[in-house]
Amino acid sequence: STTAAATIVEDPLEPTLLTRTIDPHPFVPADSIGRQSRCEEILSIQAAGLAKRLDHTQARTAVVGLSGGLDSTLALLVCHRAAQLMRLSPDHILAVTMPGFGTSDRTHQNALDLPRKLGMSTMDISIVPAVGQHLADIGHPLDRHDVTYENAQARERTQILLDLGNQIGGIAVG
């Protein structure tokens, strides 16, 4: 059997000069009307998907964790829209704030205010004692703000949301 040897040619590529502008945000319309329409479409798609999941699982409640930041605020608004699609009152949504070691008063207050203004049920559960105990159990100092520290807080929040969902026959929404 004959084996052919591959020949590697060292031929550096010449850099290509870009002669046109590349849109850094190709899926975000530049005009405000188009952008508003796209955002509305995205919110509607997310809400319809959540409503379908709630219906399929026969859950009448969505449990959502709120930090006061953008991601959880969007999740809350999607839950609100899904409840509207299902003709459920906003109190079928349980918004849970879970302040941790780094939660500021401002973001905590934001996380409490929005669901209340939307007529949702709320709970406020500090994760500081549980995470503090966990980190002590594994010998991790509270002043070492590394991936273990951050993930311990994220896991505790997720555990709370899942447990609350189980207690009330709802699903956790992230």
Side-chain angles (χ1 to χ4, degrees):
S1 145
T2 308
T3 306
T7 304
I8 299 175
V9 177
E10 296 288 332
D11 186 17
L13 298 175
E14 293 292 321
T16 302
L17 180 64
L18 297 178
T19 57
R20 65 183 176 91
T21 303
I22 306 296
D23 185 352
H25 308 289
F27 304 108
V28 180
D31 65 294
S32 62
I33 293 172
R35 191 169 43 254
Q36 176 65 31
S37 174
R38 180 74 50 87
C39 289
E40 180 62 35
E41 179 183 13
I42 291 167
L43 181 62
S44 294
I45 290 168
Q46 290 178 317
L50 178 57
K52 186 171 183 75
R53 173 58 54 189
L54 288 165
D55 183 55
H56 177 73
T57 60
Q58 299 178 349
R60 303 300 281 173
T61 304
V63 180
V64 60
L66 278 183
S67 67
L70 294 176
D71 292 342
S72 64
T73 299
L74 176 59
L76 184 79
L77 295 174
V78 169
C79 288
H80 188 262
R81 177 73 62 89
Q84 289 175 328
L85 290 173
M86 297 178 74
R87 293 177 173 44
L88 296 173
S89 67
D91 64 353
H92 281 78
I93 300 163
L94 175 58
V96 186
T97 58
M98 296 168 280
F101 296 109
T103 305
S104 72
D105 289 339
R106 182 183 63 79
T107 57
H108 185 220
Q109 196 56 52
N110 288 345
L112 290 168
D113 288 345
L114 182 60
R116 289 177 180 158
K117 288 180 180 175
L118 293 172
M120 298 173 180
S121 302
T122 59
M123 286 184 82
D124 190 41
I125 302 171
S126 173
I127 63 165
V128 171
V131 174
Q133 180 64 55
H134 172 70
L135 292 175
D137 289 346
I138 64 171
H140 193 282
L142 285 177
D143 61 352
R144 186 186 312 150
H145 298 177
D146 59 4
V147 68
T148 301
Y149 175 87
E150 294 299 331
N151 283 341
Q153 293 181 84
R155 280 188 296 275
E156 182 61 26
R157 288 182 172 113
T158 300
Q159 176 175 271
I160 288 169
L161 295 175
L162 292 172
D163 287 345
L164 287 171
N166 290 154
Q167 280 184 332
I168 63 176
I171 60 171
V173 177

